Amino acid sequence: MSPTPAKPGGTRIPSRRTALRGAFTAAVVTGTAGALFPLLDRDPAATARPAPAPGPGSGSRATAEEFAEMYRGREIRGTATVVPAGAPADDRVAVAAEPVTEIRIDGRPLHVMRRADGTYLSDVRHYESYPTLLETARAAVDELGSARLAPPAAHHM
C-alpha cells in the first residue's frame, strides 16, 4: 500500500476510502436520527389513550367504542371491545388488554386493523389512519361510493 500523496503545502489528502467511509457514517447517523425524531419528539401524555379496563359486573369484556348510524345512505355499525390478554405473570408485570374491532357496512364486514399508536386503518383506506372506528367506517364509505364490500372469502382447506 502506498502512502497518501501530499499536497504541495505538505498536508495529506484523505484517501477515497476514508472519505467514503465518513460520508456513509454521516448518512447512517442522519437517517437514523430522522427516523427516530418523530418518536422522541411527541408528548406521550397527549397521544396515549389507554383502553378502559373492564368494570365490575362487565365480565371479561368492556366496550371501548360502539356505534350504529346511517351515513350517506349506508348502514354502518362498529364495536371495539377490550379483551384481557391474560393474567399477569406476577405482581410486577401487567399484561396489556387486546382490543377486538368489528365494522360492518350494509351488513358486510370491513377488515380493520389497530395501529400501535391507537389509530385504525381499513382495507378500503389502507394508506390513511383514523383516530376512531367511526371515522374509519365513514372514510371507507366515502371511498366505496356506490360500490359494495365484497363478501368475506371462504377459507378452503
Side-chain angles (χ1 to χ4, degrees), residues 2 12 51 86 92 107 118 123 134 138 140:
S2 63
R12 290 185 163 251
R92 296 173 294 144
D123 279 349
L134 180 59
R138 287 177 176 170

Side-chain angles (χ1 to χ4, degrees), residues 68-150:
E69 71 174 29
M70 290 298 288
Y71 178 73
R72 297 193 177 196
R74 311 292 284 274
E75 179 190 19
I76 56 175
R77 295 180 177 273
T79 58
T81 338
V82 178
V83 178
D90 60 31
D91 291 338
R92 296 173 294 144
V93 180
V95 179
E98 180 67 30
V100 176
T101 59
E102 179 182 42
I103 292 179
R104 291 190 173 269
I105 299 175
D106 294 332
R108 293 189 176 185
L110 171 68
H111 182 69
V112 178
M113 295 160 280
R114 185 169 181 141
R115 300 184 54 181
D117 64 358
T119 60
Y120 299 94
L121 58 97
S122 71
D123 279 349
V124 176
R125 296 288 303 252
H126 57 275
Y127 292 114
E128 194 169 347
S129 57
Y130 301 92
T132 66
L133 278 178
L134 180 59
E135 289 180 44
T136 306
R138 287 177 176 170
V141 168
D142 291 342
E143 186 71 23
L144 284 170
S146 62
R148 293 192 58 174
L149 283 173

